[in-house]
Amino acid sequence: RVCQETGLVPIVEPEVLIDGDHTQETTAKHQEHFVSTVYKYLAENNVMLEGTLLKPSMTVSGVDCTTKPTPEEVAKMTVQ
């Protein structure tokens, strides 16, 4: 809110770390929960949500996951 009051646009950049063996679907589930939670708290603090910029991270599997998504799958999951 302080940013917006001074004319700045808050950039929201939540990120799920790629450490581990989690699947792309697990990343997507956690990203959705995290982004929803962050925006819930922003709204509770009177941040004008339409005046924010969401900078999402790519929805990928963990670096140790044995099944790696294709670039097309990453793109599709990231924008959904």
Side-chain angles (χ1 to χ4, degrees):
R1 191 173 113 202
V2 173
C3 292
Q4 290 174 328
E5 289 173 353
T6 60
L8 299 174
V9 175
I11 299 174
V12 181
E13 191 175 358
E15 185 172 351
V16 175
L17 297 178
I18 61 172
D19 299 342
D21 61 357
H22 54 279
T23 64
Q24 182 185 34
E25 291 76 19
T26 300
T27 299
K29 181 180 80 170
H30 288 285
Q31 280 177 327
E32 182 176 354
H33 173 74
F34 189 58
V35 169
S36 297
T37 301
V38 167
Y39 271 89
K40 173 182 172 263
Y41 286 111
L42 288 172
E44 287 177 4
N45 285 280
N46 301 314
V47 172
M48 185 178 67
L49 300 182
E50 61 272 19
T52 64
L53 177 65
L54 174 62
K55 183 179 175 190
S57 57
M58 292 190 300
T59 306
V60 297
S61 58
V63 292
D64 296 326
C65 184
T66 56
T67 56
K68 301 289 184 194
T70 65
E72 292 79 15
E73 292 169 326
V74 171
K76 182 179 178 183
M77 290 289 281
T78 299
V79 298
Q80 95 176 3

